[in-house]
């Protein structure tokens, strides 16, 4: 009898427990949440339904009951996927905007620099050489146009451009300094052929050619790198979440409510990290090449702040060319005699008086102070801009492996201190699985395992990163960069291209600017793997850490000062002229031309 009573008690207890469970799943607690999600009251189950009707949350409540219909689960899954996709796009878009804005500023500064250099050049040469410059101004305007075309399109061969410029300048000067003779095209061709042997301009063409080539190559590559990186961030926004990712997002964010848990409980931090690492595994495939890209940009920025400084080159370019002209004039008699010996004595002729009008010597101004002040101010603007861009790019190191932590911290997880009061995928309790490793491989990820093959869009972005990184390395080493596959663009934009860079066997070197053999690009060891644990409590925003040492004034100023010293020796150091040097540079050409005109009149 007592055994029968015991059995009845057990049956009674089980019946009460079952009734309690069923009573707890009347779904009243979660109805307000579903209504807030836009579901009409008629679509929300009034009583719990068998969990087997659901594909994702049904496995969580296996053998139990849920408060979602199959249709509701499908719609909630679509919302979870769309929300994840939107948040990922917004995060990528923020970095895209940072890089794109800096590239626009850099291009604007460079455009203004070239415009101002061209204007200053024209004014100086017009005052110095007067009508003779105006008659041959196209030589110089064509040079600036070619430099602008290189920066805008990358289709200009800078070596050929500089050779053609000095060849034409040589022929024009030869005819001016020997204006008493008549020259036909065949004779001028012979004159051109003697240029390399006689070096009438001294070493000025070689030095200026090296400086222009490496500065313009580095400047354009730096700008293109920002453009390519911004394009990659934009292109990766089109990558859609996989089906397994959508299921994991649903299990993490939807199933708590479907299980009847009120209050929109948040996921455990480690669970969210695993879900996001699985969902963003294809994004993480870019991390290694992105870090190489960041390092390459950093090194080219150092060159732009030092020996490859485009501002230090373009501001005094008129003085550099004027010195080349002066070198020719100092040896003009010797050069002419050698040409006459090799090409024959030309025929005497008379030139019109109007070709040798008087020059207003009083209009010449040798005060260099104002231009020097402008130069220093401009250099400060360029240094500040390059340093800011460099730091922004540095901050993006390991961006792709930190992305899962960043998204989890944006309100998806509870603080780590509440590890037993979070959704672990099946119920509210501590998450028991370890955090998966960083990177593309997620075979041991307990939340998202099936990734499938690498999408074409990801392959394309990795290839673009590899290509621009190789071009940055070439630019850093003073080598040429092949832009043959780069789409031609307007001045205020630049194509990102996807072809391989060309590394020449013999990089250009110039000891005058502190650029020596053996200072080539040496990649550092790969960056350490991102932390295995999520960030500290309090929902901090996880972003790649700033390198504080790089922000110290001492670090930048040391590099800047040492580089500025070497650069000043090659360019800006000639800004302040002595009066005697200025008179020699500017007046000797005028006197020689005036003397040539007198000879013409006498003959």
């Amino acid at each position: 009898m007592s055994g029968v009573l015991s059995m009845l008690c057990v049956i009674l207890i089980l019946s009460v427990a079952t009734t309690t469970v069923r009573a707890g799943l009347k779904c009243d607690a979660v109805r307000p949440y579903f209504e807030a999600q836009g579901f009409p009251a008629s679509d929300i189950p009034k009583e719990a339904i068998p969990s087997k009707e659901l594909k994702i949350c049904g496995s969580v409540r296996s053998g139990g009951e849920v408060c979602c219909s199959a249709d509701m689960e499908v719609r909630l899954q679509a919302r979870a996927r769309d929300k994840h996709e939107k948040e990922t796009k917004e995060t990528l878009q923020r970095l895209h905007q940072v890089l794109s804005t800096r590239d626009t500023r850099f291009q604007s500064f460079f455009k203004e620099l070239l415009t101002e250099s061209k204007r200053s050049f024209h004014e100086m040469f017009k005052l110095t050489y007067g009508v003779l410059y105006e008659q041959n101004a196209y030589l110089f305007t064509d040079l600036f146009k070619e430099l602008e075309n290189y920066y805008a399109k990358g289709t200009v061969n800078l070596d050929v451009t500089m050779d053609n410029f000095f060849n034409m300048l040589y022929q024009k000067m030869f005819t001016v300094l020997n204006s008493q003779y008549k020259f036909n095209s065949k004779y001028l061709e012979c004159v051109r052929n003697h240029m390399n042997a006689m070096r009438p301009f001294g070493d000025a063409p070689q030095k200026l050619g090296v400086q222009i080539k490496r500065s313009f190559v580095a400047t354009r590559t730096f700008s293109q790198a920002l453009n390519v990186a911004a394009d990659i961030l934009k292109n990766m926004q089109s990558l859609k979440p996989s089906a397994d990712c959508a299921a994991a997002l649903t299990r993490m964010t939807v199933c708590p409510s479907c299980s009847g848990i009120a209050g929109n409980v948040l996921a455990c931090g480690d669970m969210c990290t695993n879900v996001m690492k699985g969902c963003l595994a294809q994004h993480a495939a870019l991390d290694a090449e992105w870090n190489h890209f960041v390092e390459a940009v950093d090194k080219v920025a150092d060159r732009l702040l030092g020996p490859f400084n485009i501002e230090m080159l373009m501001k005094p370019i008129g003085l550099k060319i004027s010195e080349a002209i002066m070198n020719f004039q100092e040896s003009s008699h010797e050069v002419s005699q050698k040409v006459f010996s090799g090409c024959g004595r030309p025929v005497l002729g008379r030139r019109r008086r109007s070709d040798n009008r008087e020059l207003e010597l009083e209009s010449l101004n040798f005060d260099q102070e104002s231009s020097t002040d402008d130069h220093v101010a401009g250099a400060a603007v360029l240094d500040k801009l390059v340093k800011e861009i460099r730091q922004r790019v540095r901050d993006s190191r390991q961006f792709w492996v930190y992305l899962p932590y960043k998204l989890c911290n944006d309100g998806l997880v509870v603080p780590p201190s509440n590890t037993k009061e979070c959704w672990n995928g099946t119920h509210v309790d501590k998450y028991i699985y370890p955090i998966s490793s960083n990177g593309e491989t997620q075979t041991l990820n307990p939340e998202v395992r099936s990734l499938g093959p690498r999408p074409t869009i990801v392959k394309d972005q990795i290839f673009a990163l590899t290509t621009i990184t190789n071009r940055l390395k070439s630019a850093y080493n003073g080598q040429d960069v092949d832009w043959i596959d780069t789409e031609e663009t307007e001045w205020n934009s630049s194509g990102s291209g996807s072809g391989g860079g060309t590394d020449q066997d013999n990089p250009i070197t110039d000891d005058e600017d502190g650029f020596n053999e053996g200072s080539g690009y040496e990649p550092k060891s790969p960056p350490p793997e991102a932390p295995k644990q999520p960030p500290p409590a309090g929902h901090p925003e996880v972003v790649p850490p700033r390198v504080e040492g790089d922000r110290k004034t001492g670090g930048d100023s040391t590099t800047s000062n040492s580089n500025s010293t070497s650069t000043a020796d090659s360019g800006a150091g000639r800004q302040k002229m002595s009066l005697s040097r200025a008179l020699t540079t500017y007046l000797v050409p005028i006197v020689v031309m005036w003397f040539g005109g007198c000879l013409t009149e006498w003959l």
Side-chain angles (χ1 to χ4, degrees):
M1 185 69 178
S2 60
V4 173
L5 290 174
S6 298
M7 182 65 69
L8 288 174
C9 288
V10 170
I11 293 173
L12 179 62
I13 291 171
L14 291 175
S15 176
V16 171
T18 303
T19 303
T20 301
V21 171
R22 289 181 178 275
L25 286 178
K26 287 186 177 299
C27 305
D28 292 337
V30 293
R31 286 180 67 85
Y33 169 77
F34 291 130
E35 289 175 351
Q37 296 295 313
F39 290 99
S42 58
D43 289 353
I44 305 172
K46 294 181 179 180
E47 301 289 339
I49 61 177
S51 61
K52 64 181 180 180
E53 293 187 16
L54 307 186
K55 292 183 178 180
I56 301 173
C57 296
S59 60
V60 173
R61 302 283 294 180
S62 178
E65 296 177 331
V66 292
C67 293
C68 296
S69 65
D71 178 67
M72 288 176 65
E73 184 188 52
V74 170
R75 294 164 64 184
L76 288 169
Q77 177 179 357
R79 292 183 184 183
R81 182 186 63 242
D82 293 345
K83 182 180 179 181
H84 167 75
E85 187 176 356
K86 178 183 177 182
E87 291 174 347
T88 303
K89 284 183 177 181
E90 289 176 350
T91 304
L92 298 183
Q93 180 61 26
R94 282 195 290 270
L95 182 55
H96 162 83
Q97 190 66 29
V98 166
L99 299 180
S100 179
T101 300
R102 269 63 186 184
D103 181 36
T104 300
R105 292 180 186 174
F106 187 78
Q107 290 195 38
S108 297
F109 177 86
F110 185 79
K111 179 181 179 181
E112 292 172 4
L113 173 64
L114 274 188
T115 300
E116 176 60 23
S117 297
K118 182 165 59 175
R119 184 192 63 78
S120 299
F121 183 95
H122 175 75
E123 290 179 354
M124 186 187 81
F125 268 58
K126 184 177 179 181
L127 288 173
T128 305
Y129 301 106
V131 67
L132 294 176
Y133 165 71
E134 293 180 349
Q135 290 173 347
N136 300 283
Y138 69 92
L139 289 176
F140 306 96
T141 55
D142 285 351
L143 172 63
F144 277 95
K145 187 180 297 182
E146 287 295 275
L147 296 178
E148 291 171 355
N149 287 338
Y150 175 81
Y151 187 83
K153 303 176 182 179
T155 55
V156 174
N157 187 314
L158 293 175
D159 289 326
V160 173
T161 295
M162 297 309 297
D163 286 345
N164 288 341
F165 169 72
F166 279 106
N167 277 327
M168 292 297 296
L169 182 60
Y170 167 57
Q171 293 180 50
K172 290 295 181 182
M173 285 192 63
F174 181 84
T175 57
V176 169
L177 294 173
N178 295 278
S179 57
Q180 66 272 31
Y181 297 105
K182 293 174 59 178
F183 302 101
N184 56 29
S185 59
K186 183 177 181 181
Y187 195 94
L188 290 177
E189 179 66 19
C190 182
V191 171
R192 188 184 68 81
N193 293 335
H194 282 74
M195 176 179 171
N196 292 333
M198 291 182 296
R199 295 170 58 88
F201 296 108
D203 60 356
Q206 181 184 12
K207 283 188 175 181
L208 185 58
V210 167
Q211 292 168 348
I212 283 181
K213 181 177 179 180
R214 68 190 192 184
S215 293
F216 270 80
V217 168
T219 301
R220 185 177 203 274
T221 308
F222 188 74
S223 175
Q224 285 286 303
L226 298 177
N227 185 271
V228 170
D231 282 349
I232 288 170
L233 288 159
K234 182 178 180 180
N235 294 336
M236 287 297 290
Q237 294 177 35
S238 63
L239 194 61
K240 301 293 183 181
S242 66
D244 283 352
C245 168
L249 291 168
T250 303
R251 190 163 49 251
M252 181 176 70
T253 61
V254 174
C255 290
S257 298
C258 286
S259 299
I261 300 175
N264 191 25
V265 65
L266 297 176
C268 297
D270 290 358
M271 179 189 182
C272 181
T273 300
N274 282 337
V275 170
M276 290 302 169
K277 283 188 175 185
C279 287
L280 300 171
Q282 300 291 4
H283 295 72
L286 274 64
D287 189 67
E289 283 304 324
W290 184 271
N291 293 335
H292 294 156
F293 162 80
V294 170
E295 183 179 349
V297 169
D298 190 82
K299 287 180 172 291
V300 172
D302 284 340
R303 290 296 198 211
L304 293 178
L305 293 170
F308 294 4
N309 190 308
I310 193 73
E311 209 271 345
M312 300 286 279
L313 167 69
M314 293 307 298
K315 281 297 180 82
I317 193 171
L319 297 177
K320 293 175 181 289
I321 295 177
S322 186
E323 285 188 4
I325 293 174
M326 186 188 70
N327 290 337
F328 188 179
Q329 291 166 345
E330 290 175 349
S331 60
S332 61
H333 179 73
E334 180 183 354
V335 170
S336 296
Q337 293 306 313
K338 288 183 178 179
V339 171
F340 294 160
S341 298
C343 301
R345 178 72 59 172
V347 178
L348 287 172
R350 293 182 62 86
R351 307 191 70 176
R352 292 183 301 174
R353 184 182 182 88
S354 59
D355 288 341
N356 292 283
R357 292 182 299 222
E358 290 187 14
L359 302 175
E360 297 181 8
L361 303 183
E362 296 79 14
S363 65
L364 295 177
N365 179 14
F366 298 101
D367 181 10
Q368 296 293 314
E369 293 300 326
S370 60
S371 62
T372 302
D373 293 340
D374 293 341
H375 170 74
V376 173
V381 173
L382 178 62
D383 285 0
K384 181 180 179 181
L385 182 58
V386 172
K387 287 178 180 178
E388 181 193 3
I389 292 172
R390 179 179 65 180
Q391 188 59 53
R392 289 287 187 171
V393 175
R394 281 176 177 174
D395 291 344
S396 71
R397 188 186 299 273
Q398 292 190 312
F399 169 81
W400 301 99
V401 296
Y402 275 89
L403 189 57
Y405 297 96
K406 175 70 174 66
L407 294 180
C408 283
N409 281 344
D410 289 344
L412 286 177
V413 301
V414 297
S417 59
N418 298 328
T419 51
K420 291 186 178 180
E421 299 177 12
C422 55
W423 175 256
N424 65 8
T426 58
H427 57 285
V428 175
D429 200 355
K430 185 177 181 179
Y431 187 72
I432 62 174
Y433 298 103
I435 295 179
S436 179
S437 61
N438 295 322
E440 184 179 12
T441 303
Q442 295 291 315
T443 54
L444 300 180
N445 191 319
E447 305 298 335
V448 185
R449 295 183 181 179
S450 178
L451 297 177
R454 182 180 287 179
T456 300
I457 188 172
V458 175
K459 296 179 182 178
D460 290 344
Q461 307 320 303
I462 293 175
F463 182 73
L465 272 175
T466 304
T467 299
I468 194 61
T469 300
N470 288 336
R471 288 172 170 172
L472 285 164
K473 291 177 181 179
S474 296
Y476 172 82
N477 288 325
Q479 299 168 347
D480 202 358
V481 171
D482 182 13
W483 300 106
I484 192 170
D485 61 332
T486 303
E487 180 182 1
E488 293 188 4
T489 56
E490 295 298 328
W491 175 263
N492 287 325
S493 63
S494 46
S496 57
S498 58
T502 302
D503 289 346
Q504 297 179 351
D505 295 333
N506 299 313
I508 299 171
T509 60
D510 188 349
D511 292 342
E512 180 183 90
D513 291 323
F515 182 67
N516 303 312
E517 295 271 8
S519 62
Y521 183 93
E522 297 179 359
K524 300 176 182 177
S525 57
E529 192 176 68
K532 292 290 184 180
Q533 297 298 326
H539 298 269
E541 184 177 10
V542 178
V543 295
R546 295 181 183 272
V547 183
E548 294 299 333
D550 293 332
R551 278 191 172 277
K552 293 179 180 179
T553 304
D556 281 335
S557 63
T558 302
T559 303
S560 177
N561 289 342
S562 61
N563 289 337
S564 297
T565 302
S566 60
T567 308
D569 292 339
S570 65
R574 299 192 183 98
Q575 282 283 347
K576 288 191 175 182
M577 288 184 170
S578 65
L579 181 59
S580 60
R581 177 64 170 167
L583 289 171
T584 304
T585 302
Y586 291 104
L587 292 184
V588 168
I590 299 170
V591 172
V592 171
M593 295 174 189
W594 174 80
F595 183 71
C598 293
L599 287 177
T600 302
E601 295 300 322
W602 293 340
L603 295 174

